[in-house]
Structures are given as C-alpha cells and as structure tokens.
Amino acid sequence: MRALNEIAVVTTICIKSIPQRFWTSLSTVVAVSLVVTVLLAFLAMAAGFQQTLRGTGAKDMAIMLRAGAQAELNSGIVRNQARLIEEAPGVLKGPDGKPLVSPELYVIVDGIKKSTLPADGDLKKAPRANVTLRGLGPAGIAVRPGLKIVEGRQFNPGTNELLVGRALQKDFVGFNLGDTVKLGNSSWVVVGVFELGGSVFESELWADTPVVQDLFHRQNVFQSIRARLTGPDALGALKDYVANDPQLKLDVTTEAEYYAQQASRTSDLIQKLGWPLAIAMAFGALAGALNTMYSSVAARAQEIATLRCIGFSGTSSFLGTLAESLVLSLAGGVVGALFTWVAFDGLTGSTLSGASFSQIVFTFHLTPAVALQGIVLALVVGFIGGVLPAWRAARIPIVEAYGTP
Amino acid sequence: MTGQTLIHLQDVSKRFVKGKDTITIFDHLGLTIPAGDFVAVMGPSGSGKTTLLNLLGGIDQPTEGAITFDGARVDTLTEGQLARWRAHNVGFIFQFYNLMPTLSAARNVELPLLLTAFGRSERKRRVEAALSLVGLAERANHYPREMSGGQQQRVAIARALISDPKLLLCDEPTGDLDRSTADEILAMLQLLNREMGKTIVMVTHDPEAAKYARRTLHLDKGRFTEREMVA
C-alpha cells in the first residue's frame, strides 16, 4: 500500500506538471499522432478492402475456374464444361426447375477515375484505370438473390446495354443512367445501376454474355462458372463430381473462400506497406519522445531530488516518469485515431486488385481492432521513449540533481 | 538542553574526481553533535557547508571515515536503506523551499507520511496539526504559487516535521526571505529546538541567523576554524 501511495503521488506530480512543458509535450503528442494516423490510414484501407471482398462471397455459391488459375482473369472455360456442371449434384434449381448455374465472361476495359480527371476536364489526358466488364445471362442474375436495380432496368439480351455497379458509378466518370460509353471498339448505353450488398460486384460493369463474347472476340469461352448450391455441405459432392469427370479440369471452391484469398493477398500488401512506413516514422517520434522526456526529467530534477531526499524510492521516480511518457503517447495515439476516423473512415477509394487486375472500389474502415493497433504502437513509442529518461530519473545522484558537487 | 551524541563524524574525508584532478573537500574531519543541539554552520562559498549537510542527511557518502547516527553507522547503508533511514530520521528545509508546485500545501506536507503505514484519516489529522503548528491551517488547499516565500518556507518546515524526525537539516532556510520573515522562520526553528527537542543543523551565510543557534561552527577549506557558543 505504501509503495502504491508512493508511486501514485509521483505519477500524479509528473502528469500534473505536463502543462509546465506544454510545447515540448505537444510536439511529442503531434509526432506520435502523425505516426498513428499514417499507420491507421493504411490499416483502415486494408480493412475496408478486405471487408468489401469478404462481403462478396457466399458460402453456398461455388465458383469454378480452370485448374491452376488463381483468378478469373487467367481462367478459361468452354461451354461444354458449363453444361456438364448443370447436371452436377448439389446444385440448386430455380423456380423454373433449371439449375442455378451461371457461366460468366470476364473482360478488362478502360475507365477514368473521377479523382484522376485533369482540372480542365479533358478526358483524353486522363489516365486509364482497369475496370471489370462481366458478361452474364439471366442465370447470373438468378444466382445473386441480393441484387437490387436501384436505377433504370436490367439490360436486354442481345443489345449493347450495361448495368453499372453503384460503387463504380460513384468513382468513375461517365457511367450515369443514359450515358453512352465506349468500351473497346464498341459503344454501350448505361440502362441500369445495381447494388449488391456493398460487394466487389458493385465495382463492375455487367452486360449480356453473347454480346460481350462477340464484341470482344471471346466466342464460346467463359472465365468462371458460378453455381448456387443446395447448402454449404453440397460443395463436397460437387468437388467429387468434377474430380471424377476428365472433361472437367476445374478448381472448385466457395465464392466466400475465393474472395477471402484475394482479399488477404491485397490487404497483406497494403499492410506490408503501412507497417514499415509507420515504423520508420515511429523512430522520428521516438526521438521526439526521448527529447521531451529528458527535458521533463531535467526540468523536474529538483523535484525528483527533493522526493528522494524525503525518502521516496528511485522506483517511484522511474514509474512516474514512464507514466508521463505513456500519457503523452496515449494522447498522441487517441488524437491520431480520432483524426483517422474523421478524415478517412467511410471515405471511398479504389485500388487495383492484385488478383483481378481491375479496380475495386472500397470504403476505408477504421474498426476498433484497427484503432487498437495504432494505440498499441503509440504506447510502444511512449514506453521506449520513456524508459531511458525514467532510468535517469531513478538513478541520478541526489546531489547531482541539486546541481551541487 | 543537549543530550547524548546523535551524530558523530569520525575521520571523514570527501574527495571528488574532476577530470584529471582530485578535489578534496574534507580531509579527516571530525564532528560530534549531541541530541537537541542547534548548530549553525557558516563559512565562505566552497568551504564544504552543503557537502557537510549532504553527508549528515545521507544523500552523499564519505570517501573515507565513519558517520554514525544514534549509535548506528549510516555511511555503510545502501541507497534503498538510506532512503528509508532519511524518511524516518531526517527532515530537510531548503533555501528555495522545494515544494511540489502541482500539489497543495496539505499534499506537500503529507508527502513524507505516504512512506509510513498511517491511514488516510491519520495522515489528514497529522497534516492539519503540522500546518496549525506553523500557522497555516487556513492555507491547506492553497498551492505554492499562491503563497508568499515565508508561507512556503513554513509549509516546508511542516513537511520536514510531519514524520517527527530527530534531525532537521536546513540549507540557507532564510536565504530567500526578507529580514522580518527570516526572523519569524528562525524563531520557529528555535522553538522547535527548545520546545520539541529537535536537533537542527543549519547552513547559513547570515550572522544574524546564526544567532538563533546554540552554537556556530565556522568551516573554511574543509576544516572547522573556530567554534563559538551562542545562547
């Protein structure tokens, strides 16, 4: 109890004296908050990206790609394989009795991001970004029960009509209802805008499969087959069916698993950029924290000496000084997290997905777990920045602290 | 009224190494202070007055020799043992008061009691008694910046007294005060010595201050040059 009293009073003295060193203390708080902001901005980006991709997949939706293909982009499936899948066990049938199997085409086209549009609005000067154009038929709509057409209508089969994902429409130029868009060598008309639970599909353009196959010279070729299963347990039966048919050299997985893998690759990359940058900056903040805390110990030298004269232990001086450093860095961490939340949370961004090679629109998402990582980094900076000055506070000879020989 | 020996310095030497030079402050110094004594130590700057006070208070250690307090060696104690010894036996009064600016007068006075087993209510009672003794009961919740120099020094005296130490060490306790305030503080110290039996060692440059002591020791170049009995 005595030891706790002792530590509590020295900690109180240290923390209450922070306003006496306002500017140096503030500089530490600002430096730490910048480090935390940089880290959390990257992590919020990774979390948002991951959330978008993970939210895309359903556990009862099987996706099939050519064996060995990591993504739709480098897959290739022929029409006959799609027909065989329609007869596979475990595939759900629609109200019309037809199996819910959707062979889909996947093409990359050019788009212009609103954020990269030149000030004069000249579209010719704007850099191009990859956008996914997905060719699908009525089955493609049927296997996605959450689809909502929020503006306009569904495209008509056999026409150059486009359905545009809501996220893509917000982030890219020229995809408003009724707009005519040039994709490849052909012109298309936007006839509808859809939402699909904030998933990655909202970053895509959808059109009728035969038209896309024709205009992009992909006759009779698809990139993926989606099949709605009778339940998540039905995947095993489908896998066995595919494995036993030599015509079906396909990899089968759930859509949830497929997008989770894609998400982890890109979000890992974002995190691998974010952490080193934040750690490099943390060294700068650490220097600031050390400077602040050494100044604090120097400014409080007489107080520390007086307390030790009275009989207070070096341990209480050590812990009090360390607590001061942790309080400053915690303040920096909280400020950084709040700033990131205000400035970035909910912000829409888009990035190139490593697997699909196309832009995926996502929302920065500062989750409590992500914010906690920033606070922990701040406390690590505070701890390391406080230990050496705290050690000095504990060990400095009293006569030296008083400035007498 | 003085009694048995409280402090005894035997052949105490104190040397500092500064670069290639060794500076000798004391060379085989001897001193005996009986319990209940009030000693003023005077001397020019650099004569070793503060170093003597540091040795007596256990915040510095002699290079050679022995220091005993109440019959027990203190020069052989470890840093932690010395801290506990100081908490129980020594009260310090400084020229610039050395109060904690972020704590109220009452909290400043309470500091030494936080190192004891007293509970909150007992600590509060003792703090009130100590502040009443120095005439500052009504300023308990004031902060040092809200008090005059004389009031701050009285708070420092209350802090030094609160754990009832046998020895009070005063380093120029009136060096920052005007004459009349200084006289009030010195009279208070004299009262503590005469009425409460506190042993006091006071370093001062001021001959008027020294008159309040029972005796004055003159220190020059690490040696006592003359002893004068007062009162």
Side-chain angles (χ1 to χ4, degrees):
Chain A
M1 193 63 195
R2 270 174 278 173
L4 285 179
N5 272 339
E6 194 181 330
I7 291 163
V9 77
V10 178
T11 302
T12 307
I13 289 169
C14 291
I15 291 171
K16 277 181 142 182
S17 68
I18 288 174
Q20 293 169 4
R21 296 172 298 285
F22 181 77
W23 291 109
T24 51
S25 301
L26 184 67
S27 70
T28 299
V29 171
V30 170
V32 172
S33 68
L34 284 175
V35 172
V36 170
T37 299
V38 167
L39 176 69
L40 292 186
F42 272 97
L43 295 184
M45 184 179 174
F49 185 82
Q50 211 160 27
Q51 197 176 46
T52 299
L53 261 68
R54 283 198 174 147
T56 299
K59 284 180 181 169
D60 60 350
M61 174 84 95
I63 178 167
M64 284 150 275
L65 305 176
R66 176 176 54 78
Q70 298 289 309
E72 287 183 276
L73 186 65
N74 37 31
S75 172
I77 292 171
V78 294
R79 183 174 299 277
N80 188 42
Q81 290 175 311
R83 288 208 185 101
L84 289 170
I85 293 299
E86 286 176 2
E87 294 162 17
V91 174
L92 191 68
K93 290 190 167 54
D96 57 359
K98 287 184 181 172
L100 292 175
V101 173
S102 170
E104 298 181 358
L105 193 65
Y106 188 95
V107 178
I108 301 289
V109 295
D110 285 344
I112 297 169
K113 290 165 93 169
K114 288 178 180 169
S115 59
T116 60
L117 198 61
D120 61 5
D122 186 352
L123 296 178
K124 286 179 186 166
K125 289 189 207 159
R128 277 10 187 200
N130 289 350
V131 173
T132 298
L133 171 61
R134 184 176 294 277
L136 36 67
I141 306 296
V143 295
R144 295 177 174 90
L147 181 82
K148 278 189 214 159
I149 295 180
V150 291
E151 279 181 57
R153 57 172 174 80
Q154 160 71 307
F155 55 77
N156 284 322
T159 61
N160 292 22
E161 290 181 346
L162 285 175
L163 258 184
V164 179
R166 171 63 92 195
L168 182 101
Q169 189 208 22
K170 281 185 186 165
D171 212 39
F172 281 73
V173 176
F175 289 106
N176 292 320
L177 197 64
D179 283 355
T180 299
V181 188
K182 185 128 173 125
L183 301 177
N185 294 320
S186 49
S187 293
W188 299 73
V189 180
V190 177
V191 296
V193 179
F194 71 89
E195 288 179 0
L196 191 46
S199 68
V200 69
F201 296 116
E202 290 190 16
S203 301
E204 294 182 350
L205 302 169
W206 287 1
D208 187 37
T209 304
V211 179
V212 180
Q213 282 179 327
D214 189 37
L215 293 176
F216 287 86
H217 311 294
R218 307 278 179 93
Q219 276 77 7
N220 280 330
V221 173
F222 303 94
Q223 265 64 51
S224 62
I225 304 171
R226 280 174 170 75
R228 178 67 65 181
L229 301 173
T230 51
D233 299 341
L235 186 73
L238 179 60
K239 275 187 168 178
D240 290 344
Y241 174 80
V242 169
N244 291 326
D245 189 331
Q247 294 183 74
L248 294 174
K249 296 206 177 305
L250 303 174
D251 285 337
V252 185
T253 185
T254 61
E255 201 180 41
E257 179 68 20
Y258 172 73
Y259 282 110
Q261 278 180 3
Q262 291 210 348
S264 63
R265 270 183 233 151
T266 304
S267 67
D268 280 358
L269 182 69
I270 296 169
Q271 290 192 32
K272 278 173 188 162
L273 287 172
W275 271 106
L277 188 62
I279 287 170
M281 286 183 69
F283 278 103
L286 190 61
L290 274 169
N291 185 40
T292 301
M293 294 316 300
Y294 272 125
S295 325
S296 165
V297 171
R300 288 188 297 104
Q302 201 164 68
E303 289 176 23
I304 292 167
T306 302
L307 287 169
R308 287 177 52 200
C309 259
I310 289 170
F312 280 68
S313 65
T315 308
S316 56
S317 297
F318 177 87
L319 292 175
T321 306
L322 195 57
E324 181 185 340
S325 180
L326 289 173
V327 163
L328 290 177
S329 60
L330 181 65
V334 170
V335 168
L338 284 175
F339 180 75
T340 310
W341 184 64
V342 169
F344 293 99
D345 192 57
L347 188 76
T348 301
S350 63
T351 190
L352 194 69
S353 164
S356 69
F357 252 106
S358 60
Q359 292 289 321
I360 289 179
V361 181
F362 62 92
T363 302
F364 282 69
H365 191 41
L366 185 65
T367 62
V370 166
L372 188 65
Q373 290 185 59
I375 303 281
V376 168
L377 177 67
L379 289 174
V380 168
V381 170
F383 182 80
I384 298 173
V387 160
L388 290 176
W391 183 253
R392 175 159 176 75
R395 303 303 302 168
I396 183 173
I398 298 173
V399 288
E400 192 183 317
Y402 275 133
T404 53
Chain B
M1 187 172 61
T2 57
Q4 290 180 324
T5 297
L6 182 69
I7 307 167
H8 183 58
L9 272 64
Q10 186 174 3
D11 287 331
V12 166
S13 299
K14 182 66 186 176
R15 288 186 280 275
F16 294 103
V17 177
K18 197 170 187 179
K20 290 178 181 173
D21 300 325
T22 299
I23 300 164
T24 301
I25 307 293
F26 300 127
D27 189 17
H28 297 286
L29 189 75
L31 175 66
T32 300
I33 298 174
D37 204 354
F38 184 172
V39 183
V41 181
M42 298 188 72
S45 296
S47 59
K49 301 187 298 296
T50 300
T51 303
L52 176 67
L53 219 55
N54 291 341
L55 290 173
L56 294 176
I59 57 176
D60 201 0
Q61 295 282 43
T63 313
E64 288 170 18
I67 300 175
T68 54
F69 182 90
D70 228 1
R73 291 278 292 269
V74 291
D75 57 286
T76 52
L77 299 180
T78 63
E79 186 71 26
Q81 288 169 328
L82 273 173
R84 284 190 288 279
W85 173 79
R86 286 194 299 270
H88 289 106
N89 296 293
V90 189
F92 292 87
I93 299 166
F94 305 92
Q95 179 179 359
F96 297 108
Y97 335 123
N98 291 13
L99 300 177
M100 303 297 132
T102 55
L103 300 182
S104 66
R107 285 291 279 167
N108 265 289
V109 174
E110 190 189 9
L111 284 173
L113 292 184
L114 296 172
L115 305 170
T116 67
F118 293 128
R120 187 188 293 260
S121 58
E122 178 62 16
R123 292 203 303 267
K124 188 166 184 283
R125 193 188 66 73
R126 286 177 181 245
V127 167
E128 284 168 0
L131 282 171
S132 295
L133 187 71
V134 296
L136 287 176
E138 77 287 359
R139 308 299 294 264
N141 295 320
H142 288 225
Y143 284 84
R145 64 179 178 277
E146 298 165 342
M147 290 188 274
S148 68
Q151 287 170 329
Q152 289 188 57
Q153 193 60 295
R154 283 194 276 162
V155 173
I157 291 171
R159 180 180 69 187
L161 285 174
I162 192 85
S163 54
D164 195 24
K166 290 177 181 169
L167 177 64
L168 291 181
L169 296 176
C170 313
D171 191 0
E172 301 273 9
T174 56
D176 197 43
L177 302 174
D178 60 58
R179 184 72 263 160
S180 76
T181 311
D183 284 339
E184 280 177 31
I185 296 296
L186 290 163
M188 188 174 287
L189 291 176
Q190 196 174 51
L191 192 74
L192 293 172
N193 171 251
R194 297 201 171 171
E195 300 299 322
M196 297 175 71
K198 299 293 175 195
T199 305
I200 300 176
V201 179
M202 175 176 71
V203 162
T204 182
H205 277 107
D206 178 9
E208 292 301 313
K211 286 179 185 170
Y212 286 83
R214 289 179 189 273
R215 59 182 175 131
T216 302
L217 302 177
H218 289 272
L219 200 56
D220 193 13
K221 294 175 186 165
R223 292 191 167 277
F224 293 116
T225 54
E226 144 188 21
R227 298 178 185 214
E228 179 189 344
M229 299 300 289
V230 179

